[in-house]
Amino acid sequence: VAYVENARKLLEASRRGANPFDGATPEIPKGSRLESGSKEFLDSEALGLPHLRECAFVLVAGGLGERLGYGGIKIALPLSLCSERSFLQYYIERIMSYGGDAPLTLMTSDDTHSATLAFLEENNYFGFPRKRLSLVKQEKVPSLSDNRAHFVCAPGNPYALETKPHGHGDVHALLHRAGLPERWLAAGRRWVIFFQDTNGLVFHALPAALGESIRHELAVNSLTVPRRAGEAAGAIVRLKYADGRVITNNVEYNQLDPLLRATVQPAGDVADESGYSPYPGNINALIFGLEAYARQLAIKKGAIPEFINPKYSNAEKTKFKKPTRLECMMQDYTLQLDDARGVGFTQFERHICFSAVKNNLPEAMAKAAANLPIESASSGEMDYYAQERWRLTRAGAVIEPAERRTIAGIPLDIGAFVALGPNYAPSLGTLLQRFKGGRITRSSVLIIEGPDILIEDLDLDGALIVQAVPGAKVHLRGIQVRNRGWKLTELEAGDVCPEELAIRGYRFEKLEERALIFEKPGDYLIEA
Ligand code: UGB
């Protein structure tokens, strides 16, 4: 009953063209802006890194990824074909690399739950202790066919209702119901970090972002990037109401343009002289102070305001193109806070922290044509290598610049395929101590896995794999590698291949490689 009543109210408001933020004047919020690799960045990293082990991590993974057109769960997709590591494995190993006993919770849905569980079981939880991992499952909600919020029968089944996902905002109620925030607090945890299913880069920014949470005593810290006007990312906005209330909250991408047009910016969601929207782009990675979060959950039980976004098929707004439903978003947690103090953001350059995998190839092509972030499986993978190259460059490597190639219609910057294992360098500061200079050609492949490897003055033209077990202290000094390496080969029409390759449009051919594998603890020095 509550669902239908709320739906009718929101549908009526939607028909009138009301915006959930009507009455508010948008302002540009204040927050930290860290230039990657700067002294401030490295200082914040150094401050935050040791505290990541005191966090609880929450991955929202209930989305089906319809836009991507992939049949499986998105967290099982390879983040990088070179390292053959899925998003989930990468996340788990990253969290383990912080040491301590940080717990991980995955929010699944009816669409993803059994496949997620099976994937974890098949892979022995990627070595993550079972008792530290929790799954909470969100339920779907009934589809609505009209402005009176009538339900719809499931296709081909008059005895069941059609249902749809309710949005990532369910995560707060589910955590509360499972009693997890209270339990984490009792165990001495201090922050909770929420992140999304297919943005592998976000972990590069977490140490510094947590450092900013600590430095500015933030109850809520949203990670942001400079936002391209019109892109499908929400914006963090300071909303000032006539009664004096001030809220800093995400305004979702479909609401931003009408809100700005109706208030401070008649041209709507447009760029300023910087070339970007003046409002920071939300990447939906959130760091909450755990104590305040648990207190707030106890009051509202994790309920998040719902919204509705029907697409109408007639001018009178009485018919929908397809059934709709109520949804809620995890970042709207801040809507219910009485006090905007302690709600901030930390902005990073996009290349270090944000490249999600959301779009199938035709949609990605359209994004590329509109000069918007591409967000395909291929751009996600290439952005990952690009960021690893950038990190090595900061550590003194000279790397041949990437070159632009169009693969399956998607323009990609292709350079050396560098995949640094999650336990090799959990922060840029750590990497600067573990990698010191060298030369790497554009077509090279470099994979480094292991917590205690020092590489100095590497000269690489080909493929090199270095793997060392924990306890193996490896020092590679001045080594030169020349071989035929691996080749990125574009798929051809009619090629039969797994779906994770088809959505990229390429595969790797392993022609030749040098592998340095250290399977036993000990000290190793390899020199030219
Ligand atoms: N998700 C769930 O767990 N359950 C659900 O019911 C739905 C999703 P999308 P979208 O960072 O680029 C978000 O669909 O619409 C999970 C922000 O709202 O990818 O692109 C799902 O599995 C937006 O402000 O989100 O929008 C995935 O992990 C902007 O920042 C996550 O929720 C944008 O992301 C996001 O789901 C962005």
Side-chain angles (χ1 to χ4, degrees):
V1 170
Y3 179 77
V4 170
E5 281 175 356
N6 200 24
R8 286 183 181 160
K9 215 166 62 197
L10 290 169
L11 282 164
E12 177 48 33
S14 165
R15 239 186 113 182
R16 279 189 278 108
N19 191 301
F21 300 107
D22 279 346
T25 306
E27 292 180 353
I28 299 162
K30 288 200 174 62
S32 311
R33 293 170 201 265
L34 291 179
E35 189 193 330
S36 323
S38 63
K39 181 178 176 318
E40 293 73 27
F41 177 94
L42 292 168
D43 286 349
S44 292
E45 258 200 346
L47 179 61
L49 184 63
H51 294 286
L52 280 165
R53 62 176 62 192
E54 295 160 22
C55 295
F57 291 83
V58 180
L59 167 58
V60 286
L64 199 50
E66 278 166 303
R67 277 178 283 169
L68 183 62
Y70 176 63
I73 47 168
K74 291 207 286 172
I75 48 176
L77 273 173
L79 160 65
S80 124
L81 294 179
C82 285
S83 67
E84 295 177 350
R85 206 180 241 107
S86 64
F87 281 97
L88 184 57
Q89 180 177 2
Y90 183 81
Y91 297 149
I92 284 179
E93 291 179 357
R94 268 282 181 167
I95 292 167
M96 289 197 293
S97 78
Y98 301 136
D101 51 4
L104 169 65
T105 302
L106 272 70
M107 180 174 78
T108 57
S109 67
D110 286 326
D111 291 329
T112 62
H113 187 80
S114 48
T116 303
L117 193 56
F119 187 54
L120 283 163
E121 293 280 346
E122 276 158 27
N123 291 287
N124 198 19
Y125 289 74
F126 298 104
F128 198 77
R130 182 67 194 85
K131 63 177 188 330
R132 275 164 47 198
L133 192 137
S134 312
L135 294 181
V136 292
K137 181 165 83 70
Q138 63 176 149
E139 300 297 326
K140 294 208 263 185
V141 291
S143 301
L144 307 168
S145 62
D146 57 29
N147 284 329
R148 294 296 299 152
H150 283 109
F151 293 166
V152 186
C153 286
N157 184 354
Y159 302 106
L161 292 179
E162 183 187 277
T163 57
K164 293 194 175 196
H166 190 226
H168 36 72
D170 283 346
V171 71
H172 304 298
L174 291 170
L175 292 178
H176 173 67
R177 232 173 285 159
L180 287 167
E182 289 297 334
R183 210 184 305 160
W184 297 330
L185 206 54
R189 318 241 130 250
R190 296 172 61 193
W191 296 273
V192 52
I193 299 183
F194 296 86
F195 61 105
Q196 319 201 45
D197 50 15
T198 58
N199 179 24
L201 294 185
V202 75
F203 278 76
H204 292 317
L206 287 184
L210 182 58
E212 289 300 297
S213 283
I214 296 169
R215 200 189 300 285
H216 302 292
E217 297 182 6
L218 295 178
V220 173
N221 184 6
S222 299
L223 275 67
T224 68
V225 294
R227 182 176 174 280
R228 301 248 187 100
E231 80 165 283
I236 304 296
V237 181
R238 189 167 189 267
L239 298 149
K240 211 166 162 188
Y241 289 85
D243 61 7
R245 242 175 343 128
V246 176
I247 298 170
T248 299
N249 202 74
N250 174 72
V251 175
E252 199 58 336
Y253 43 91
N254 58 326
Q255 296 158 349
L256 184 67
D257 185 75
L259 175 68
L260 295 176
R261 280 178 195 280
T263 52
V264 293
Q265 179 60 270
D269 178 12
V270 290
D272 64 14
E273 60 285 352
S274 71
Y276 291 95
S277 158
Y279 301 94
N282 168 44
I283 65 167
N284 244 11
L286 304 161
I287 304 180
F288 291 176
L290 188 52
E291 205 179 319
Y293 179 60
R295 210 178 319 121
Q296 185 65 24
L297 286 195
I299 300 168
K300 299 274 184 184
K301 302 193 169 26
I304 297 297
E306 292 171 312
F307 68 96
I308 201 155
N309 188 19
K311 306 275 182 302
Y312 300 101
S313 61
N314 62 347
E316 299 75 36
K317 297 190 176 174
T318 53
K319 293 203 171 84
F320 301 165
K321 283 189 186 156
K322 56 181 186 181
T324 186
R325 84 290 199 176
L326 294 188
E327 292 175 77
C328 60
M329 295 186 287
M330 66 172 170
Q331 62 270 38
D332 279 349
Y333 166 80
T334 41
L335 281 179
Q336 52 183 243
L337 301 182
D338 298 331
D339 193 350
R341 278 174 303 174
V343 179
F345 68 87
T346 307
Q347 177 135 313
F348 297 91
E349 287 126 315
R350 185 180 293 255
H351 70 89
I352 102 144
C353 67
F354 189 45
S355 179
V357 173
K358 301 205 184 200
N359 297 320
N360 60 31
L361 289 170
E363 281 194 37
M365 267 187 248
K367 296 276 180 191
N371 199 24
L372 288 170
I374 297 171
E375 303 196 322
S376 64
S378 52
S379 68
E381 178 167 13
M382 293 308 150
D383 287 346
Y384 165 74
Y385 299 131
Q387 177 52 24
E388 299 288 47
R389 292 196 300 273
W390 180 87
R391 293 185 343 129
L392 288 190
T393 308
R394 298 296 304 195
V398 177
I399 304 181
E400 211 178 334
E403 68 179 4
R404 180 62 62 99
R405 261 173 78 180
T406 298
I407 295 192
I410 311 294
L412 298 170
D413 289 327
I414 299 185
F417 305 106
V418 180
L420 306 178
N423 64 358
Y424 174 58
S427 70
L428 181 61
T430 333
L431 182 71
L432 299 183
Q433 288 156 24
R434 295 192 176 153
F435 194 96
K436 294 179 191 283
R439 288 155 304 287
I440 300 173
T441 59
R442 181 185 298 134
S443 56
S444 291
V445 172
L446 174 62
I447 299 172
I448 310 176
E449 305 271 354
D452 200 354
I453 301 172
L454 170 62
I455 301 184
E456 285 180 294
D457 201 20
L458 172 68
D459 181 1
L460 175 62
D461 183 18
L464 171 66
I465 299 163
V466 185
Q467 265 173 24
V469 294
K473 195 173 161 54
V474 176
H475 186 173
L476 306 181
R477 194 154 63 196
I479 64 165
Q480 190 187 63
V481 177
R482 296 276 180 277
N483 58 46
R484 287 160 63 221
W486 299 4
K487 190 166 155 232
L488 184 146
T489 309
E490 199 166 344
L491 298 178
E492 288 180 10
D495 273 357
V496 179
C497 63
E499 220 184 334
E500 64 269 20
L501 298 187
I503 61 171
R504 287 169 152 81
Y506 57 83
R507 63 193 160 84
F508 280 91
E509 275 180 82
K510 297 183 182 179
L511 304 176
E512 204 183 347
E513 68 197 26
R514 178 161 179 202
L516 298 171
I517 314 285
F518 305 88
E519 290 174 319
K520 294 206 176 94
D523 281 9
Y524 302 89
L525 170 65
I526 299 193
E527 289 185 282

